[in-house]
Amino acid sequence: MSRVVEDSNRRLLRARDAMDRTYSQPLDIPSLARIAFVSEAHFIRIFRATFGETPHRYLQRRRVERSMFLLRETERSITDICLDVGFTSLGTFSRTFRDIVGESPTEYRQQSVVRAVPTCFTMSWTRPSSFGEAFAANGH
């Protein structure tokens, strides 16, 4: 791999790591592009080419992933969880959750079983992989 590609990948990983660390805070493309030292349009283009989804979709998936854990492991209200993971609208949260997971947050909570295994395994087993997968799997 050329040094240019390696440097580009390293900068993209820094931006993705920032998204992973601060998923619950408002994040915008200009600040993420600055982390990667590229223009906004180029950042979106190379992020998608490298990771298979846009930065916005990646961030939404990370937020939903965290909310899945909170729905399984806590009794906190869905509204509180929605706000804690970085969504500003319960409607957007519920729609996005259903698009990714295939069921509403309420349905997910009701069907979830807390397993006596390390959290890292549970998160790996239940991690949503991409937008539309749940929708496609359900045949809709």
Side-chain angles (χ1 to χ4, degrees):
M1 179 169 12
S2 78
R3 182 153 179 87
V4 173
V5 172
E6 194 174 303
D7 287 343
S8 174
N9 288 346
R10 190 172 294 116
R11 290 191 309 267
L12 277 177
L13 285 170
R14 277 191 215 119
R16 192 180 72 175
D17 289 347
M19 294 168 77
D20 289 342
R21 276 191 315 277
T22 59
Y23 64 87
S24 64
Q25 299 172 11
L27 292 168
D28 60 6
I29 295 300
S31 60
L32 294 168
R34 279 192 300 275
I35 292 170
F37 297 108
V38 294
S39 72
E40 296 169 29
H42 189 63
F43 175 72
I44 294 168
R45 199 170 34 253
I46 62 173
F47 190 96
R48 184 174 189 166
T50 303
F51 299 115
E53 59 191 345
T54 65
H56 178 71
R57 286 188 172 170
Y58 178 81
L59 182 58
Q60 283 190 319
R61 191 168 49 79
R62 287 291 291 137
R63 288 174 172 167
V64 166
E65 181 180 333
R66 179 64 181 155
S67 70
M68 291 169 72
F69 170 79
L70 294 171
L71 287 165
R72 276 192 320 270
E73 303 291 331
T74 72
E75 294 298 320
R76 299 179 60 220
S77 75
I78 292 173
T79 301
D80 286 346
I81 290 171
C82 158
L83 298 172
D84 285 349
V85 299
F87 284 93
T88 56
S89 157
L90 183 58
T92 301
F93 169 69
S94 296
R95 185 178 60 252
T96 303
F97 191 96
R98 181 179 290 282
D99 286 347
I100 294 173
V101 179
E103 56 193 356
S104 72
T106 301
E107 293 166 336
Y108 179 80
R109 174 175 266 169
Q110 290 169 347
Q111 295 177 16
S112 291
V113 176
V114 177
R115 295 174 178 91
V117 296
T119 302
C120 60
F121 287 112
T122 303
M123 289 180 72
S124 175
W125 293 332
T126 60
R127 178 172 290 134
S129 61
S130 185
F131 267 65
E133 268 188 21
F135 191 70
N138 291 330
H140 300 347

